[in-house]
Amino acid sequence: MHVLCDRASLVTSRFKKHLLMNQNLIVVPHQEDSTTTNPIVSQQQQLIKQLQILSAELLLAIPFGFALFHFNFGGIAWIFGGIISGAAIFQTSRIFYNYLPKPNRTAREIGMILVGITIGASNAHANLANISASAPVFVCLTLFLLLCGGCIGYIYSRLSKTNLLTAMLATVPGGVGVMSAIAADYNKNVTLVALVQALRITSVVFLIPLIARVTNNTSVQPPISSAIEPYSFELLFLVLVISTLAVYIAKFLKVPAAPFFASLLVGMAFNPILNWLPFIDDISFTPPLVIKLLGQMLLGITIGEYWGEKPTFQKRTIGYAIISVAMTLAAGVAATLLAMQLTSWDWLTCLLVTAPGGSAEIILVALTLDHNVEIVTAGHVVRLIAINSFLPIGIFLFRYFDNQEGRRESV
C-alpha cells in the first residue's frame, strides 16, 4: 500500500509540474505581444488626448474672446481669451481627470506661423530705408535691455536663492516656450522659469493697451473686414504651404525662432512677388480674419497652459517672481525714455519697441493699436536675433559661474 501511495503521489506531482510548464508556455508569448504593442498604443492615446485638449481650449477661447471684446478689450481680447482657456482646461484636467498634460509646443509654433504671416502681410509696404536708418538705435536699445536683464537676473538669483542660469532664463525676455525648453535641456527649474516668463508676458500684453487707451484714447479695436477677395482661399493655401517649407528650412539652418521669422519673411515677400509676376494683375493677399484670430488664440492658449501646468507655488516664490517682473518693466520704461532721447518717435512707439514681452505678442499689440507696426517689428526682430545669438555664450558663462560658486560652497 505504501508503495502504491508513493507512486500515486509521484505521478500527481509530475502532472502538476507538466501543467504549470504548459501554463507558462501559454502566458509568456502573451506578455511579449503586450510589450511590443503598448508603446504604439500609448503614443496614439497621447496624440488623441492632446488633440482633445487643444480642441476644448479653442472652443472655450472663442466665448471668452467675444466677452472680452465686448468689454472694449479690442483685438487683444483673443490673446487673453486663449490665456484664460488654456489655464482653465489644464486645471480641469489636473483636478477632475488626474491627467497632467504638458504645454503644446506644436500649437505655439502653428500660432507663431499664423501671426508671422499676418504681421508680414501688414509690413509688406513698409519703408525699408527709414527702418534701416534706425538700425543703430535698435542695437543700442537691445544692448541696454540685455545689460539690464543681466543685472536683474543676478539680483533675482540672490533674492530667490536659485542658481544663476535658472534666474537668467527666467528674466531674459526671450519667450516662455524657448526659455522653458532650454531650462529642461539643462535640468533646471522649468516651472519657475515658466512662471516668471508667463507673468512678464501677461503683464506687458495687458498693461500696454490699457496705458494706450487711458492716456491717448487710442482705439484697440481693429478694423474688421468681411469682404472676401478673389482667389483668397487659393492664396491662403499657397502661403501656408510656402511658410511651412520656409519654417522647415529655417529650422534646418538653426535660425532662431524659426516659425516666427520664416513666416514673417514669407508674409512680407508674398504680395511683392505676386505683383512682380507678369501673368498676375492686381491681386493683393490679405490674411482672412479667422487666421488672425486663430493665431492670437493659439499664442494665448500656450501662455495659459504654462499658467495651468503648475499652480502650487509658495508665497515667497511668487513674491520674488513679481519683484523680478517689476524690475524688468522698470527697465523697459528706462529704455523707453532712452529711445525718446535718441529718436523722434512718439512715446507709444518707443514703449512698444522697448517692451519686454514676447516678440510675437508685442508686435500683435502694435498691429491691434495700428501704430507704427513696421518700426516695432524691426526693433523686436533685432532684439530677438541678438538674444538668440548671445544665448549660447550666456549659458556657458552662467553655468561656469554656477560651478565656481558650487565649488566655493563645498570648500
Side-chain angles (χ1 to χ4, degrees), residues 73-76 219-222 296 363-371:
F73 270 73
I76 208 68
S219 172
V220 294
Q221 194 160 330
Q296 293 183 42
I363 300 172
L364 265 179
V365 172
L367 186 62
T368 302
L369 298 175
D370 193 21
H371 195 86

Side-chain angles (χ1 to χ4, degrees), residues 9 11 17 41 75 81 83 102 116-117 139 151 153-154 212 215 228 244 263 265 284 294 314 326 328 357 369:
S9 61
V11 171
K17 289 181 180 180
V41 173
I83 292 174
K102 293 295 182 183
I117 292 172
V139 174
C151 296
Y154 179 79
T215 59
I228 299 177
T244 304
S263 57
L265 293 178
S284 179
L294 181 60
Q314 295 180 357
T328 305
L369 298 175

Side-chain angles (χ1 to χ4, degrees), residues 73-356:
F73 270 73
I76 208 68
W78 304 101
I79 291 183
F80 281 104
I83 292 174
I84 298 171
S85 172
I89 294 297
F90 262 47
Q91 285 300 297
T92 303
S93 300
R94 291 170 59 89
I95 296 173
F96 294 100
Y97 298 98
N98 198 24
Y99 176 60
L100 309 178
K102 293 295 182 183
N104 195 332
R105 298 181 64 183
T106 303
R108 180 165 181 82
E109 288 187 356
I110 295 174
M112 293 184 74
I113 291 174
L114 299 180
V115 168
I117 292 172
T118 302
I119 296 172
S122 66
N123 286 320
H125 303 290
N127 191 338
L128 297 179
N130 292 337
I131 295 175
S132 59
S134 302
V137 177
F138 294 142
V139 174
C140 178
L141 294 174
T142 298
L143 293 177
F144 176 79
L145 288 170
L146 288 177
L147 180 62
C148 292
C151 296
I152 293 170
Y154 179 79
I155 295 173
Y156 177 66
S157 68
R158 299 299 97 182
L159 289 175
S160 60
K161 305 300 181 182
T162 185
N163 61 83
L164 189 58
L165 179 56
T166 300
M168 291 298 176
L169 292 175
T171 55
V172 169
V176 58
V178 175
M179 295 304 163
S180 299
I182 295 174
D185 292 338
Y186 289 93
N187 295 321
K188 299 303 178 182
N189 194 336
V190 180
T191 55
L192 181 62
V193 172
L195 169 68
V196 180
Q197 291 283 349
L199 180 61
R200 174 181 53 80
I201 293 175
T202 306
S203 301
V204 172
V205 172
F206 175 76
L207 288 174
I208 289 181
L210 181 63
I211 293 172
R213 184 169 63 243
V214 171
T215 59
N216 217 19
N217 292 324
T218 303
S219 172
V220 294
Q221 194 160 330
I224 297 177
S225 175
S226 58
I228 299 177
E229 299 179 0
Y231 308 106
S232 59
F233 295 106
E234 292 84 354
L235 292 176
L236 175 61
F237 177 76
L238 180 61
V239 75
L240 288 175
V241 171
I242 295 175
S243 298
T244 304
L245 294 175
V247 169
Y248 177 79
I249 296 173
K251 285 185 174 181
F252 179 77
L253 297 176
K254 307 295 183 181
V255 175
F260 181 67
F261 273 140
S263 57
L264 179 68
L265 293 178
V266 171
M268 293 181 65
F270 191 70
N271 278 328
I273 291 176
L274 282 181
N275 295 326
W276 177 75
L277 296 176
F279 53 86
I280 296 179
D281 294 327
D282 298 331
I283 293 181
S284 179
F285 170 73
T286 301
L289 180 62
V290 64
I291 295 298
K292 302 176 184 179
L293 300 185
L294 181 60
Q296 293 183 42
M297 284 190 291
L298 288 174
L299 288 184
I301 283 171
T302 52
I303 296 173
E305 287 177 347
Y306 282 102
W307 276 111
E309 184 185 15
K310 192 72 174 179
T312 55
F313 288 100
Q314 295 180 357
K315 293 181 180 179
R316 181 178 298 178
T317 303
I318 298 176
Y320 289 144
I322 293 174
I323 292 173
S324 69
V325 171
M327 290 189 295
T328 305
L329 295 178
V333 173
T336 301
L337 297 176
L338 178 62
M340 292 177 66
Q341 297 297 323
L342 296 177
T343 66
S344 59
W345 302 332
D346 60 278
W347 70 269
L348 184 55
T349 302
C350 295
L351 181 64
L352 289 167
V353 169
T354 58

